[in-house]
Amino acid sequence: MPVIRFVREGLDVECFPGENLREVALREGVELYGLKGKLGNCGGCGQCITCFVAVVPGDSAALSSRTAVEDRKLQNRPLDWRLACQALVEHSVVVLTRPQLGLADGQAQLEAALAAPLPAGPTAWPEQPETPEQQSATTDEDSPDGPMAGDTVR
Ligand code: FES
């Protein structure tokens, strides 16, 4: 499972590959928003530009590619900033929430976060086992005789 390391919070959180960064942060109690975002964010639609995070350089492939919304909304922001609501986590990643605030102790906190290794995590969703209904439907469809009269095909 990929790990998201939240530098400001000093927190490592596991998630499934492909999970939305904003949803994981909110689920884990990470404060993504400054005052403006707390008072009124768009709920993850990519419209309010209040959920940005900085991705630590070198981890750009850890998240899904920038969306067209991000390209438009973040055109005057640093290239390593992302909208958390638009980013899907592919691999373990180090992020700084509310990067516009900087860090109280400057680079030291960031360097400490980078010093500890992150697990890479899988690149795809784990395969789900078939349910008994799926197995029986597959068996009937795959048999040379096809489903028998009176069989229930789901
Ligand atoms: S929550 Fe509004 S842009 Fe991400």
Side-chain angles (χ1 to χ4, degrees), residues 60-140:
S60 60
L63 300 177
S64 56
S65 301
R66 257 183 144 168
T67 63
V69 168
E70 288 178 287
D71 284 341
R72 192 172 57 249
K73 300 283 186 180
L74 297 176
Q75 46 183 283
N76 296 322
R77 307 284 183 179
L79 289 175
D80 62 343
W81 284 22
R82 298 289 308 269
L83 294 178
C85 68
Q86 302 294 300
L88 305 179
V89 181
E90 305 288 347
H91 301 281
S92 295
V93 63
V94 179
V95 298
L96 176 63
T97 56
R98 293 168 285 144
Q100 70 278 21
L101 301 178
L103 286 169
D105 58 356
Q107 285 293 106
Q109 197 174 353
L110 190 57
E111 288 169 9
L114 291 172
L118 283 171
T123 57
W125 286 93
E127 281 193 30
Q128 300 295 316
E130 287 188 359
T131 63
E133 292 82 17
Q134 289 171 324
Q135 288 173 345
S136 74
T138 302
T139 303
D140 289 344

Side-chain angles (χ1 to χ4, degrees), residues 22 26 32-33 37 40-52 69 73 82-86:
R22 174 184 179 269
L26 295 180
L32 276 179
Y33 298 107
N41 64 73
C42 69
C45 299
Q47 298 303 308
C48 67
I49 327 173
T50 59
C51 67
F52 36 59
V69 168
K73 300 283 186 180
R82 298 289 308 269
L83 294 178
C85 68
Q86 302 294 300

